[in-house]
């Protein structure tokens, strides 16, 4: 192994960073070869996370070939995104969000979602695996002497990914033929990128007692983490304190909102865009947004939406994005000035909810932030919400300096009102590539260089135990939660659960309900908590199941044991009492009873 | 070899080929190049100029350049032409940035006096006006020129006919 490779497997874009395994190595970013048009292979810093599943004969034979796969039958990356925008029924997008969606069977071929019956479908795991296989092919082509499968790989996941989603990410990587894997949470990766860039100077920028808030708004997800700076034996220590819940809300929503707004204006003028032009408008909005953010003196930016046909002049539709609209829609819409007590609005679910991705109902990122800091009040040192002292931004959205300023402004408002100090902003690096670079840096840190962020699991995990009581019609017996993995379990450690009276039936599948909490940090393994279902400190995750081999019908008394693997995934085992039987409990990611 | 070579030159050449292996290999390389050239003459022009067509295809795909230039725009208002020009400018600029890195052929601000030294690169610097005498010349930089210092054209597949610069698009209901 000569390299550590960091892979940012993003909701909308993937990136690869790498670093030599030497003490004074420097990190770099790997450009990814991909199809940008039929028959055209180019390298780009990002691989858009899209898979296009072509119809038979849709493209000339051989035109989808990649330098490492002459017979490629599907497209991943730039061309998949650009062409798929016009053929949405064949486009697999946001596979990563589906990977963490516990209400669907993530092993089953369900993407493209809503595709007509004759379109081949793939599972969210298969989609993730295809991105990784593409990254692997491109890497091997460019580094023929260093095959990716032989390197140490750090794969990033949202901090909000639960145990099952982490498992599935590893499964996707294994299916792509990658073995030497470690998982890293994206906000931590962003902080590692900052550490890499700051070098020894980081000690001048943060000091003992600091609490760093990482705000990571990617294309499709928003992720918060808190990391504290402490001291041990005279050395600075970084500890990840808490992570937020999974929020499906990101930069893509922003561009779409702008596009819908301008589309309304055009409709009022009697100009109707078709789907193809609407895609172009969305792209134009992103450009115009970036132009306005980069040039504070401009009051508006023009957007030209090309005609569909070849008559470009005369057929091109012109529209303007004004700064007022940008501020009102993006800054006030997505980063509203709210109180720390304002919680995100959740729309009431109707009886028949269409199965789809659980997008955030409230676009107010500042409201989600308020909820996160308030929910973590257990570590707020006597305040009603956590007081961060420093903030690090990550994600392409924050190329807009105005959006950063707004978050800081709102946060400082909360802090000063509560008697706290304003936060200082840590200046990060390239917002698109920081996670990949930080991941590679972390791989290097794991080999004994630099400073490591500690923290362990960001959740505590519980097995649901139905209370023994007589059945009452129409009344669901309360489910008690037995803590099997406490908060903050470090990689490579295990927790034994004090003896409980568990007896499993041999030869039949046994299913446990499974709960997680990102707040309850005081529970120890073996603690029993009443009624997890009606307690909003718990969220129910995918159930776990096992089938004990042996003579059917026999009851075997067992003990439970939880372990966090070196890779960073959670494992639950049943150990036979007074015997040698050991069974792994699998996280059942196929279905969950709603 | 079709070029005429004087008898003495031929004699010298034969002599050097016999005794100077390095020179001999250069002669052979030259012959290979000539051969390659004549072989190229049999390649159809679209294959010979495939990368040129690919560039046009990219400019059309991203910036609608062929649409724009093929259209008769005399009757349209400047506003219409301007809106379309933004599409062309935005897209073609992106392609140019991806394929090439441009730098001025000569440093210095346009409109300022400068000196053209002796032995200047006549491809990089073009003299206009009163061109007389020998360098160094004193003059004014009128246009700084452009040089592609980095060329990064994508690999294109032989499977495709390079003449198809843009496919027809048919939308299925």
């Amino acid at each position: 192994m000569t390299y550590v490779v960091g892979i940012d497997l993003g909701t909308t874009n993937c990136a690869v960073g790498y670093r030599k395994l030497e003490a004074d190595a420097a990190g770099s970013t790997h450009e990814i070869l991909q199809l940008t048009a039929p028959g055209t292979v180019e390298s780009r810093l990002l691989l858009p996370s899209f898979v296009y599943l072509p119809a038979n004969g849709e493209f000339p034979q051989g035109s989808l070939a990649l330098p490492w796969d002459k017979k490629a039958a599907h497209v991943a990356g730039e061309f998949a995104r650009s062409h798929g925008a016009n053929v949405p029924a064949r486009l697999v997008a946001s596979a990563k969000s589906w990977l963490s969606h516990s209400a669907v069977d993530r092993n089953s071929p369900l993407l493209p979602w809503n595709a007509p019956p004759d379109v081949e479908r793939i599972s969210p795991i298969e989609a993730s695996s295809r991105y990784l296989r593409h990254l692997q092919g491109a890497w091997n082509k460019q580094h023929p002497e260093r095959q990716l499968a032989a390197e140490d790989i750090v794969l990033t996941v949202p901090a909000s990914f639960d145990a099952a989603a982490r498992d599935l990410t590893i499964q996707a990587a294994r299916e792509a033929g990658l073995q030497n894997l470690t998982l890293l949470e994206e906000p931590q990766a962003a902080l590692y990128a900052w550490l890499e860039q700051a070098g020894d100077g980081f000690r001048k920028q943060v000091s003992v007692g600091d609490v760093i808030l990482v705000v990571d708004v990617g294309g499709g997800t928003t992720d918060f983490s808190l990391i504290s700076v402490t001291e041990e034996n005279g050395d600075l220590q970084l500890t990840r304190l808490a992570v937020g819940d999974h929020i499906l809300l990101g930069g893509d929503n922003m561009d779409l909102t702008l596009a819908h707004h301008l589309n309304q204006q055009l409709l009022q003028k009697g100009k109707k865009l078709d789907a193809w032009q609407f895609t172009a408008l969305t792209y134009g909005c992103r450009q115009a947004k970036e132009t306005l953010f980069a040039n504070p003196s401009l009051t508006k930016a023009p957007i030209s939406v090309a005609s569909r046909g070849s008559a470009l002049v005369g057929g091109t539709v012109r529209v303007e994005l004004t700064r007022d609209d940008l501020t009102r829609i993006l800054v006030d819409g997505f980063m509203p000035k709210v109180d720390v007590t304002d919680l995100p609005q959740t729309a009431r679910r109707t009886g028949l909810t269409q199965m789809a991705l659980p997008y955030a109902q409230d676009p107010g990122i500042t409201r989600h932030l308020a909820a996160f800091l308030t929910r973590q009040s257990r570590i707020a040192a006597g305040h009603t919400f956590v007081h961060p002292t420093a903030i690090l931004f990550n994600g392409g959205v924050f190329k807009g300096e105005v959006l950063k300023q707004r978050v800081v402004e709102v946060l400082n408002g909360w802090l000063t009102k509560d008697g706290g100090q304003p936060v200082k902003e840590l200046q990060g690096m390239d917002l698109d590539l920081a996670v990949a670079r930080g991941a590679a840096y972390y791989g290097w840190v794991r080999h004994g260089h630099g400073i490591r962020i500690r923290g362990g699991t960001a959740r505590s995990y519980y097995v649901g135990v139905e209370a023994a009581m007589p059945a009452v019609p129409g009344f669901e017996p309360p489910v008690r939660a037995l803590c099997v993995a406490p908060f903050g379990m470090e990689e490579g450690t295990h927790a034994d659960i004090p003896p409980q009276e568990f007896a499993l039936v041999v030869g039949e599948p046994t299913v446990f309900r499974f709960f997680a909490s990102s707040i309850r940090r005081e529970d120890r393994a073996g603690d029993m908590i009443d009624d997890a279902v009606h307690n909003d400190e718990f969220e129910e995750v995918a159930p776990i199941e096992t089938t004990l081999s042996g003579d059917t019908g026999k009851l075997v008394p067992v003990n439970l044991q939880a372990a966090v693997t070196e890779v960073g995934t959670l494992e639950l085992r049943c150990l036979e009492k007074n015997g040698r039987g050991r069974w792994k409990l699998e996280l059942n990611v196929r279905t969950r009873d709603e | 070899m079709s070029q005429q070579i004087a008898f003495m030159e031929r004699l010298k050449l034969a002599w050097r080929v016999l005794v100077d292996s390095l020179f001999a290999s250069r002669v052979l390389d030259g012959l290979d190049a000539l051969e390659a050239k004549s072989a190229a003459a049999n390649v159809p022009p679209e294959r010979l100029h495939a990368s040129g067509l690919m560039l046009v295809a990219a400019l059309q795909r991203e910036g609608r350049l062929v649409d724009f230039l093929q259209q008769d725009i005399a009757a349209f208002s400047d506003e219409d032409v301007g809106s379309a020009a933004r599409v062309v400018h935005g897209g073609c600029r992106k392609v140019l940035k991806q394929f090439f890195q441009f730098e001025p052929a000569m440093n210095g601000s346009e409109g300022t006096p400068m000196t053209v030294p002796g032995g200047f690169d006549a491809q990089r610097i073009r003299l206009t006006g009163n061109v007389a005498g020998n360098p160094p010349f004193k003059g004014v930089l009128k246009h700084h020129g452009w040089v592609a210092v980095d060329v990064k054209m994508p690999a294109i597949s032989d499977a495709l006919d390079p003449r198809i610069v843009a496919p027809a698009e048919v939308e299925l209901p």
Side-chain angles (χ1 to χ4, degrees):
Chain A
M1 260 176 267
T2 53
Y3 288 120
V4 273
V5 181
I7 299 180
D8 173 6
L9 193 60
T11 317
T12 46
N13 282 298
C14 301
V16 178
Y18 66 103
R19 195 182 175 95
K20 269 211 164 105
L21 265 185
E22 292 164 1
D24 54 353
S28 26
T29 335
H30 161 76
E31 293 207 2
I32 305 153
L33 284 170
Q34 56 196 284
L35 215 58
T36 56
T40 311
V41 174
E42 287 180 85
S43 59
R44 294 277 192 273
L45 279 170
L46 301 173
L47 177 79
S49 312
F50 295 85
V51 169
Y52 184 78
L53 307 164
N56 236 340
E58 186 180 350
F59 296 106
Q61 202 163 22
S63 65
L64 303 183
L66 293 164
W68 58 92
D69 184 3
K70 300 287 176 214
K71 294 202 170 92
H74 67 267
V75 191
E78 181 74 38
F79 181 58
R81 176 176 63 185
S82 63
H83 181 66
N86 307 321
V87 194
R90 294 184 170 273
L91 181 68
V92 177
S94 300
K96 184 180 179 180
S97 301
W98 288 98
L99 213 53
S100 64
H101 187 12
S102 59
V104 297
D105 178 351
R106 288 161 271 179
N107 271 312
S108 74
L110 42 88
L111 302 177
W113 193 245
N114 289 340
D118 63 315
V119 174
E120 167 211 12
R121 293 190 192 212
I122 60 177
S123 71
I125 301 170
E126 172 62 18
S128 305
S129 185
R130 286 191 189 185
Y131 306 141
L132 287 166
R133 270 196 292 262
H134 185 106
L135 294 173
Q136 187 180 19
W139 170 276
N140 291 349
K141 177 75 189 166
Q142 279 150 292
H143 301 265
E145 76 296 347
R146 301 295 328 167
Q147 298 287 297
L148 187 62
E151 311 291 356
D152 248 359
I153 295 165
V154 178
L155 206 53
T156 64
V157 289
S160 48
F161 257 25
D162 65 18
R166 284 170 202 236
D167 262 11
L168 294 172
T169 305
I170 289 294
Q171 192 187 327
R174 296 242 158 90
E175 282 176 16
L178 303 177
Q179 294 301 331
N180 311 316
L181 301 160
T182 313
L183 293 178
L184 175 67
E185 292 170 4
E186 282 153 15
Q188 285 194 48
L191 191 66
Y192 275 116
W194 176 79
L195 285 169
E196 176 187 30
Q197 177 196 250
D200 285 338
F202 93 91
R203 289 184 174 79
K204 295 200 184 86
Q205 299 189 55
V206 293
S207 45
V208 175
D210 269 333
V211 174
I212 304 167
L213 168 68
V214 184
V215 178
D216 183 1
V217 181
T221 49
T222 292
D223 217 359
F224 303 118
S225 282
L226 286 167
I227 294 161
S228 73
V229 185
T230 52
E231 194 175 14
E232 200 177 279
N233 306 326
D235 287 330
L236 282 190
Q237 279 245 334
L238 297 173
T239 309
R240 198 257 290 98
L241 291 175
V243 304
D245 293 327
H246 205 57
I247 308 168
L248 288 186
L249 175 65
D252 297 350
N253 303 53
M254 299 185 180
D255 299 335
L256 260 179
T257 311
L258 290 176
H260 278 297
H261 171 73
L262 294 183
N263 197 24
Q264 280 302 318
Q265 283 188 0
L266 288 171
L267 275 175
Q268 279 162 15
K269 288 186 206 159
K271 288 177 187 157
K272 198 172 179 311
L273 301 186
D274 67 7
W276 184 91
Q277 286 177 310
F278 185 77
T279 305
L281 176 64
T282 310
Y283 178 75
C285 283
R286 184 180 314 156
Q287 306 285 95
K289 172 189 81 180
E290 284 170 9
T291 306
L292 286 177
F293 278 151
N295 304 288
S297 60
L298 294 180
T299 56
K300 59 192 179 190
I303 299 169
S304 285
V305 179
S307 63
R308 186 70 207 270
S310 67
L312 187 68
V313 181
T316 295
V317 178
R318 184 174 189 279
V319 58
E320 274 176 350
L321 178 64
T322 64
R323 184 168 297 278
D324 286 349
D325 278 350
L326 182 71
T327 307
R328 188 174 53 79
I329 297 170
L330 275 206
V331 187
D332 294 341
F334 285 86
M335 312 280 182
K337 291 182 186 171
V338 295
D339 279 333
V340 73
T341 47
D342 283 349
L343 296 180
Q345 296 151 1
T346 46
R348 195 177 294 270
R349 282 172 67 159
T350 51
L352 277 171
T353 307
Q354 198 197 9
M355 187 78 80
L357 281 178
Y359 290 111
Q361 303 282 354
D362 190 326
I365 288 175
T366 40
R367 268 192 286 267
H368 289 285
L369 179 60
F372 167 62
L373 294 177
T374 310
R375 264 172 80 81
Q376 291 297 339
S377 59
R378 277 181 170 80
I379 50 167
H383 302 287
T384 52
F385 65 97
V386 179
H387 284 205
T389 58
I391 189 165
L392 176 71
F393 290 102
N394 190 51
V397 162
F398 290 114
K399 283 177 197 159
E401 196 63 33
V402 183
L403 293 175
K404 281 188 190 174
Q405 284 165 8
R406 171 55 70 87
V407 175
V408 170
E409 182 195 336
V410 172
L411 180 59
N412 282 345
W414 300 339
L415 290 170
T416 44
K417 212 169 162 186
D418 202 39
Q421 294 295 315
V423 290
K424 59 189 163 211
E425 191 195 328
L426 305 180
Q427 292 300 330
M429 52 173 299
D430 190 312
L431 292 160
D432 285 326
L433 301 170
V435 167
R437 296 204 48 159
Y441 181 76
Y442 169 69
W444 180 76
V445 165
R446 276 170 61 88
H447 283 85
H449 314 280
I451 186 168
R452 186 163 172 180
I453 304 170
R454 316 198 76 85
T457 52
R459 288 178 175 70
S460 41
Y461 288 95
Y462 308 80
V463 164
V465 184
E466 280 190 15
M469 60 183 296
V472 179
F475 179 77
E476 196 189 340
V479 176
R480 304 167 76 199
L482 171 69
C483 181
V484 288
F487 195 98
M489 273 181 77
E490 299 260 2
E491 287 154 27
T493 63
H494 66 264
D496 286 304
I497 294 111
Q500 293 281 339
E501 285 310 312
F502 273 116
L504 300 188
V505 183
V506 175
E508 286 172 16
T510 313
V511 180
F512 294 98
R513 289 174 80 172
F514 198 44
F515 298 87
S517 173
S518 57
I519 317 171
R520 302 183 60 96
R521 50 187 68 233
E522 65 282 356
D523 293 338
R524 301 274 64 97
D527 286 0
M528 188 74 91
I529 296 97
D530 287 336
D531 198 4
V533 176
H534 300 100
N535 185 337
D536 68 4
E537 290 180 348
F538 294 92
E539 57 173 322
E540 183 157 12
V541 290
I544 44 179
E545 66 175 25
T546 188
T547 303
L548 275 54
S549 50
D551 304 330
T552 309
K554 205 177 119 196
L555 276 175
V556 179
V558 293
N559 284 332
L560 292 176
Q561 185 189 60
V564 178
T565 63
E566 289 293 342
V567 170
T569 53
L570 182 74
E571 236 177 62
L572 289 170
R573 303 164 188 145
C574 288
L575 311 180
E576 186 182 358
K577 265 186 203 173
N578 317 316
R580 275 201 242 139
R582 285 170 73 95
W583 298 273
K584 208 176 133 191
L585 285 164
E586 302 285 351
L587 294 166
N588 178 341
V589 294
R590 288 190 291 279
T591 45
R592 185 183 95 196
D593 295 330
E594 282 284 78
Chain B
M1 236 184 263
S2 60
Q3 287 97 331
Q4 291 295 316
I5 304 174
F7 172 73
M8 275 309 288
E9 288 298 318
R10 269 155 68 188
L11 192 67
K12 271 199 275 183
L13 188 70
W15 186 243
R16 289 184 67 182
V17 170
L18 278 173
V19 299
D20 182 344
S21 65
L22 182 69
F23 180 73
S25 76
R26 279 195 203 137
V27 170
L28 288 174
D29 286 349
L31 287 172
D32 284 351
L34 273 177
E35 239 172 53
K37 241 187 190 166
S38 68
N42 300 327
V43 171
E46 68 270 18
R47 288 283 168 205
L48 194 59
H49 304 293
S51 71
L53 283 164
M54 188 274 295
L55 178 61
V56 173
L59 294 170
Q60 161 66 16
R61 187 171 64 238
E62 299 291 339
R64 306 288 290 271
L65 185 66
V66 180
D67 287 345
F68 185 64
L69 299 178
Q70 286 291 91
Q71 197 175 0
D72 181 1
I73 62 168
F76 289 98
S77 69
D78 281 3
E79 199 188 337
D80 280 342
V81 177
S83 307
R86 285 203 184 272
V87 173
V88 177
H89 179 264
C92 294
R93 184 182 166 85
K94 192 173 133 197
V95 172
L96 227 54
K97 266 192 176 165
Q98 275 160 2
F99 290 6
F100 314 108
Q101 190 192 330
F102 285 111
E103 276 179 13
M106 180 175 254
N107 292 319
S109 313
E110 292 175 356
T112 58
M114 49 96 48
T115 307
V116 178
F120 67 93
D121 181 343
Q123 201 192 340
R124 269 180 186 263
I125 300 176
R126 175 144 315 152
L127 303 174
T128 59
N130 190 16
V131 184
N134 293 314
F137 297 116
K138 292 213 175 296
V140 173
L141 181 63
K142 288 292 185 186
H143 190 300
H144 61 51
W146 291 112
V147 176
V149 291
D150 192 21
V151 180
K152 234 172 72 180
M153 303 274 275
I156 37 167
S157 160
D158 291 337
L160 297 178
D161 181 345
R163 290 176 301 179
I164 298 163
V165 162
E169 290 176 24
V170 179
E171 188 157 297
L172 308 181

